[in-house]
Amino acid sequence: MTRLNEKIDDLKAQRDELKVDLGKAKKGKPLGNDKDGKPKKNSPPEQIEKKISAIETKIEKMEMDKKIKEDLKTVALGTSKINYLDPRITVAWCKRHEVPIEKIFNKTLLAKFGWAMDVDPEFRF
């Protein structure tokens, strides 16, 4: 979680820096130097706006991932797959919806539930 927060903070800092550069580019002023002390390339305002929008979408995605990760932190999703769901139902659903079974079961469960892999896609419990 801390790494995710750090990445989000870095992206926000980049976005803020690009907004400053956008203001300078619109006024026709030179952009100045980057963190390494090298002069920045003069970019047209449209290109800077595209970079800002791309960074904002990354920030939104990372914040959604963070929220999902926090919500699922207390839920053990693997336990119910092993103990409470009939693997034939899961395999039939995967075949019906063309989802690779490896996305649902890890290698250990694939070996454990080998007997359920030959089920018909129209299987009903």
Side-chain angles (χ1 to χ4, degrees):
M1 290 301 283
T2 56
R3 265 191 292 151
L4 197 56
N5 286 332
E6 289 173 3
K7 286 181 182 181
I8 290 172
D9 291 340
D10 289 343
L11 285 174
K12 286 181 179 179
Q14 284 180 3
R15 179 190 61 195
D16 295 341
E17 187 177 325
L18 282 173
K19 285 184 179 181
V20 170
D21 290 347
L22 179 63
K24 289 181 180 178
K26 284 185 177 179
K27 293 178 183 175
K29 295 181 180 179
L31 298 181
N33 298 334
D34 60 8
K35 293 177 184 174
D36 299 331
K38 298 176 184 175
K40 293 181 182 178
K41 287 193 289 183
N42 286 336
S43 302
E46 297 82 22
Q47 188 177 10
I48 296 174
E49 287 173 352
K50 282 183 183 178
K51 287 181 183 178
I52 290 172
S53 66
I55 287 177
E56 286 178 346
T57 55
K58 282 183 185 179
I59 290 172
E60 287 176 15
K61 182 183 180 303
M62 290 182 114
E63 286 179 344
M64 286 296 293
D65 290 347
K66 177 183 164 186
K67 183 180 182 310
I68 290 170
K69 200 170 191 177
E70 283 180 11
D71 291 345
L72 296 178
K73 197 175 356 182
T74 59
V75 178
L77 297 175
T79 305
S80 61
K81 275 193 293 193
I82 298 168
N83 296 330
Y84 306 118
L85 290 177
D86 187 336
R88 295 174 295 179
I89 296 170
T90 307
V91 171
W93 181 87
C94 287
K95 287 181 179 180
R96 222 180 359 255
H97 296 286
E98 299 176 7
V99 175
I101 194 68
E102 294 82 20
K103 295 268 186 188
I104 307 297
F105 292 135
N106 59 25
K107 285 183 183 178
T108 308
L109 291 179
L110 284 172
K112 181 178 179 180
F113 296 142
W115 56 271
M117 298 301 153
D118 297 328
V119 73
D120 185 47
E122 299 304 317
F123 176 78
R124 293 272 183 218
F125 187 73

